[in-house]
Amino acid sequence: MRPPGPQARVRLVDVAAHAGVSMKTVSNVVHDNPHVSPAMRARVERSIDELGYRPNLTARRLATGRTGMLALALPEMDQPYYAELARHVAEAAPEFGYRVLMEQTLLSADDEHAAIGSSQNGVVDGILLHPVRLTPEEIGALPRDLPLVLLGESAPPAADHVMIDNVAAARAVIQHLVDAGRRRIAFLGTVVDQLSDATAPRLQGYHEGLDDLGTPQADRCVLVCADYSVEASEAALSRALADGLQIDAVMCREDRFAVGALRALLRAGRRVPEDVAVVGWDDTEPARWSHPQLSSVAPDKRALARAALRLLHERIMGYQGAGRHVLVPHRLVVRASSQPAGDGGDAVDRRTSSRG
Amino acid sequence: MRPPGPQARVRLVDVAAHAGVSMKTVSNVVHDNPHVSPAMRARVERSIDELGYRPNLTARRLATGRTGMLALALPEMDQPYYAELARHVAEAAPEFGYRVLMEQTLLSADDEHAAIGSSQNGVVDGILLHPVRLTPEEIGALPRDLPLVLLGESAPPAADHVMIDNVAAARAVIQHLVDAGRRRIAFLGTVVDQLSDATAPRLQGYHEGLDDLGTPQADRCVLVCADYSVEASEAALSRALADGLQIDAVMCREDRFAVGALRALLRAGRRVPEDVAVVGWDDTEPARWSHPQLSSVAPDKRALARAALRLLHERIMGYQGAGRHVLVPHRLVVRASSQPAGDGGDAVDRRTSSRG
DNA sequence: ATGAAAGCGCTAACAG
DNA sequence: CTGTTAGCGCTTTCAT
């Protein structure tokens, strides 16, 4: 079995011959260029229809040097946060005139490099990358004319970059919990084999928020997870509770960890939110599948996708200026898991805003 | 701002000049062809490195007629089932020599047509499509030389197609529930604005399973949801319970509906699994975030992805035979939500198998 | 307003 | 084993 020979596809020149005009005229019609008489246009369009002509995009690309595609390089497509981000990018990309090539990097430095490579051999016009292995130094060493926009927290100053204000969001979580009467708030969690990720600023916001309130170090607790799974999170909190940890709230690095926290608390016989409040991060849809439903920090993923696309489009169009760092809005969505005890009300949005 | 002029990129011919050899030799080196002396190879590779040459894939495509890409057209990237499928396809595609272009069709017939179109203008070599709006008739009317493989239930005999045996899986669910002592099992649910989807065979399996057991129609119940959301599912079951529906098990069309069922049962004061068992479908990861954790029909998504890629690759390589319909394995993963009352054991896999 | 022809960068058939 | 050359299908000056 071998690839079939080139299909006898209808080409531009065939349409031209059929319509009795030049290639240029057909091209003009295809591109809706002006300077084509209505009669001519009608004639050419009839030929196009009769012959079933479809322009060959590869040839067009070779001629124009643009592919109309961009790569979206994400660590794991099936993680709800990335899946939701992918949806928004896929939804908005056509508005900027692009198709989206998915590159899954699977937490591998090689795959992240490969994704960048595909942007360098003309497969795509630019790349949206959420790095977890590449360091800011490695990224900074990339050729500066490579159209690249970074998502996530790990970015050198020279590169374009979109994120939410993690520190502010973390502080808002603390404020919310304290307003709800919580006093001993744990952070769940940092991870042993730390990737370059968003934990640091969130933890920083946790401490800053507690600093403002004069909470002593003794009333703080940072729990470490073995990896980024629900199970690791559950294990970390379960162990701490078994060791006698006294808390009335858990602020989590991401929704998955919050789900683990719910499980650990359930097993330990603590009620949520009566005994312990839980807040997640990312506001992924499945986090609302839990019981009680999770409060969570909600990045405006739609805004994130559009901001990233805008920056990338500008780079592709030739913008060569300094790295731009855009903050998109976020909110804290309060649901049952962090209601004040006795308050069974519906979800309330606490806007904590910020725009960069 | 306008697109930058063509970058002064290093071309094959530049490498040839630099190395003092012909283009053909450079090409041979790039493609690891034999018939190149080691000395020659070394010299050319040095030039490639020094000049930083990267082959222009667009040009290669125009010359070879192959793009090395295929489209994965899925309704909604952020639905866990599709996100997980996308991950497996993205993971396996490189083994077949392809990159994956994501096409999100958003439950729109136009977008499904557009995805097929991109396969016809040379953007990709073939397409993996999960249709929900296109009818088997429309798909059957497509040119037969279009490399296309369908996912999901909606497929004309002429097209290649991969799925699990939904009827058998549904029967296995019934068998499991009956084995666990359940007698009044509801099906949740069909949907008002039915897409061409997998509900029909699952419902068929539900009835066949109950037929085998001699369960009278009076002890069956098919609940209708307003749409494919958790909320609609919860509403449908809540309403039925309020109307006095007596059941001890719910078999759900998909995990989302099962999550809605858990909520409805909780609100109605029924315990899961003690009073009512719940089984979902698709075994998506977030379904395990619920409490109790969901039992679910688990299609072998990895096998699904690979089978689909294999069929598509064969089509791209020129296979022109009749439509092939491949069944991939599935299992029923039993977790807490459908344990016999009093049995708190861990998850158990019931293999129900089948391979096509 | 329309036509002719020169590329875009690579591949592959054919010579040598 | 290596070099030459004619395309792949479209875009795009530059004449007309």
Side-chain angles (χ1 to χ4, degrees):
Chain A
M1 202 162 44
R2 59 171 198 279
Q7 309 268 354
R9 291 240 287 115
V10 181
R11 294 159 306 162
L12 190 59
V13 62
D14 300 320
V15 177
H18 182 99
V21 300
S22 78
M23 291 174 63
K24 174 62 178 163
T25 301
V26 178
S27 174
N28 279 110
V29 170
V30 169
H31 287 97
D32 267 332
N33 284 359
H35 307 311
V36 177
S37 72
M40 192 87 280
R41 171 176 304 279
R43 185 151 117 232
V44 171
E45 277 169 348
R46 250 205 29 188
S47 294
I48 288 178
D49 289 346
E50 279 184 25
L51 268 43
Y53 169 69
R54 322 283 256 94
N56 178 325
L57 296 206
T58 301
R60 178 177 296 173
R61 283 169 190 178
L62 184 57
T64 61
R66 294 211 35 211
T67 69
M69 296 208 302
L70 46 83
L72 175 62
L74 259 22
E76 299 181 284
M77 290 300 311
D78 58 342
Q79 287 306 321
Y81 175 71
Y82 297 122
E84 292 178 12
L85 201 53
R87 179 188 176 127
H88 287 292
V89 170
E91 228 168 307
E95 298 168 22
F96 291 83
Y98 297 102
R99 289 164 184 276
V100 179
L101 185 71
M102 295 296 324
E103 302 267 11
Q104 187 169 238
T105 54
L106 294 174
L107 311 180
S108 137
D110 283 352
D111 286 355
E112 291 183 12
H113 269 119
I116 289 171
S118 77
S119 180
Q120 295 180 305
N121 59 21
V123 172
V124 295
D125 296 330
I127 175 170
L128 251 31
L129 171 68
H130 190 124
V132 297
R133 293 289 185 191
L134 294 189
T135 63
E137 292 71 40
E138 291 175 292
I139 294 168
L142 261 21
R144 67 189 68 256
D145 62 346
L146 172 74
L148 166 71
V149 172
L150 300 173
L151 309 172
E153 310 313 308
S154 189
D160 286 343
H161 180 209
V162 183
M163 63 174 181
I164 67 168
D165 186 337
N166 279 267
V167 177
R171 295 179 65 131
V173 171
I174 296 295
Q175 190 62 54
H176 157 63
L177 290 170
V178 170
D179 287 348
R182 314 291 172 166
R183 287 297 171 267
R184 296 183 54 90
I185 306 170
F187 182 89
L188 176 73
T190 58
V191 171
V192 177
D193 176 21
Q194 193 75 50
L195 303 174
S196 37
D197 77 356
T199 306
R202 295 175 193 177
L203 184 54
Q204 181 189 337
Y206 166 81
H207 281 302
E208 287 184 11
L210 293 176
D211 287 346
D212 289 352
L213 297 163
T215 303
Q217 291 292 336
D219 284 353
R220 306 181 190 186
C221 173
V222 177
L223 297 169
V224 181
C225 300
D227 57 49
Y228 289 89
S229 69
V230 173
E231 290 71 24
S233 159
E234 177 181 0
L237 183 54
S238 285
R239 183 196 182 89
L241 291 171
D243 287 350
L245 176 68
Q246 295 298 322
I247 51 170
D248 54 17
V250 190
M251 163 182 166
C252 303
R253 187 225 170 269
E254 60 182 65
D255 283 346
R256 253 184 308 180
F257 284 2
V259 170
L262 291 180
R263 286 194 198 165
L265 291 164
L266 181 74
R267 280 176 33 171
R270 314 291 172 93
R271 292 168 306 165
V272 176
E274 293 83 351
D275 302 328
V276 181
V278 175
V279 177
W281 198 296
D282 287 342
D283 192 42
T284 53
E285 205 223 293
R288 305 197 280 275
W289 292 9
S290 66
H291 181 78
Q293 289 185 48
L294 271 187
S295 298
S296 192
V297 171
D300 186 337
K301 303 186 191 87
R302 191 163 178 277
L304 200 56
R306 300 184 109 79
L309 286 167
R310 181 175 58 76
L311 294 184
L312 187 56
H313 182 61
E314 289 170 4
R315 286 283 173 195
I316 292 170
M317 290 293 106
Y319 174 76
Q320 296 277 349
R324 296 159 295 174
H325 297 247
V326 174
L327 290 180
V328 298
H330 64 268
R331 13 191 274 265
L332 172 59
V333 181
V334 177
R335 300 199 183 82
S337 74
S338 69
Q339 295 289 341
D343 179 354
D346 270 351
V348 174
D349 286 4
R350 304 268 174 129
R351 296 194 162 272
T352 64
S353 85
S354 91
R355 186 178 274 283
Chain B
M1 204 161 43
R2 58 170 199 280
Q7 309 268 356
R9 290 240 286 116
V10 181
R11 294 158 306 163
L12 189 58
V13 62
D14 299 321
V15 177
H18 181 99
V21 300
S22 78
M23 291 174 62
K24 175 62 179 164
T25 301
V26 178
S27 173
N28 278 108
V29 170
V30 169
H31 288 97
D32 267 330
N33 282 0
H35 308 311
V36 177
S37 73
M40 192 88 279
R41 173 176 303 278
R43 183 150 120 234
V44 171
E45 277 170 350
R46 250 203 31 185
S47 294
I48 289 178
D49 289 346
E50 280 183 26
L51 269 43
Y53 170 69
R54 324 285 253 95
N56 179 324
L57 297 206
T58 302
R60 179 177 295 172
R61 284 169 189 176
L62 183 57
T64 62
R66 293 209 40 210
T67 70
M69 297 208 302
L70 45 81
L72 174 62
L74 259 22
E76 299 181 284
M77 290 300 311
D78 58 342
Q79 287 304 320
Y81 175 70
Y82 296 123
E84 292 177 13
L85 201 54
R87 177 186 177 128
H88 287 291
V89 171
E91 229 168 308
E95 297 168 24
F96 290 83
Y98 298 102
R99 289 163 183 277
V100 179
L101 185 71
M102 295 296 324
E103 302 267 10
Q104 186 168 238
T105 54
L106 294 173
L107 311 180
S108 137
D110 283 352
D111 287 355
E112 290 182 13
H113 270 119
I116 289 171
S118 77
S119 179
Q120 296 180 305
N121 59 22
V123 173
V124 295
D125 295 331
I127 175 171
L128 251 31
L129 170 69
H130 190 124
V132 298
R133 293 289 184 190
L134 294 188
T135 63
E137 292 70 39
E138 292 174 291
I139 294 168
L142 260 22
R144 70 188 66 252
D145 61 347
L146 172 74
L148 166 72
V149 172
L150 300 173
L151 310 172
E153 310 313 308
S154 189
D160 285 343
H161 180 209
V162 182
M163 63 173 182
I164 67 168
D165 186 338
N166 279 266
V167 177
R171 295 178 65 131
V173 171
I174 296 295
Q175 190 62 53
H176 157 63
L177 290 170
V178 169
D179 287 348
R182 313 291 173 166
R183 287 297 171 266
R184 296 184 52 92
I185 305 170
F187 182 90
L188 176 72
T190 58
V191 171
V192 177
D193 176 20
Q194 193 76 48
L195 304 175
S196 37
D197 77 357
T199 306
R202 296 176 193 178
L203 184 55
Q204 181 189 337
Y206 165 83
H207 281 301
E208 288 183 13
L210 293 176
D211 287 346
D212 289 352
L213 297 162
T215 303
Q217 291 293 335
D219 285 351
R220 306 182 190 184
C221 172
V222 176
L223 297 170
V224 181
C225 300
D227 56 50
Y228 288 89
S229 70
V230 173
E231 290 70 24
S233 160
E234 176 180 0
L237 183 54
S238 285
R239 184 197 181 89
L241 292 171
D243 288 351
L245 176 68
Q246 296 296 324
I247 51 171
D248 55 17
V250 189
M251 162 183 165
C252 302
R253 188 223 167 267
E254 60 182 64
D255 284 345
R256 253 184 308 180
F257 283 3
V259 169
L262 291 180
R263 284 195 199 165
L265 292 164
L266 181 74
R267 278 176 34 169
R270 314 292 173 91
R271 292 168 307 164
V272 177
E274 292 83 352
D275 302 328
V276 181
V278 176
V279 177
W281 198 295
D282 286 341
D283 191 43
T284 53
E285 204 223 292
R288 305 198 281 276
W289 294 8
S290 66
H291 181 79
Q293 289 184 48
L294 271 186
S295 298
S296 192
V297 171
D300 186 339
K301 303 186 192 88
R302 191 163 177 277
L304 199 56
R306 299 185 108 78
L309 285 167
R310 181 175 58 75
L311 293 184
L312 187 57
H313 182 62
E314 289 170 6
R315 286 283 173 193
I316 292 170
M317 290 294 105
Y319 175 76
Q320 296 277 349
R324 295 159 295 174
H325 297 246
V326 173
L327 290 180
V328 298
H330 63 268
R331 15 191 272 265
L332 173 59
V333 181
V334 177
R335 300 199 184 83
S337 74
S338 69
Q339 297 288 342
D343 180 354
D346 271 350
V348 174
D349 286 3
R350 304 267 175 131
R351 296 194 163 269
T352 64
S353 86
S354 91
R355 184 181 278 281

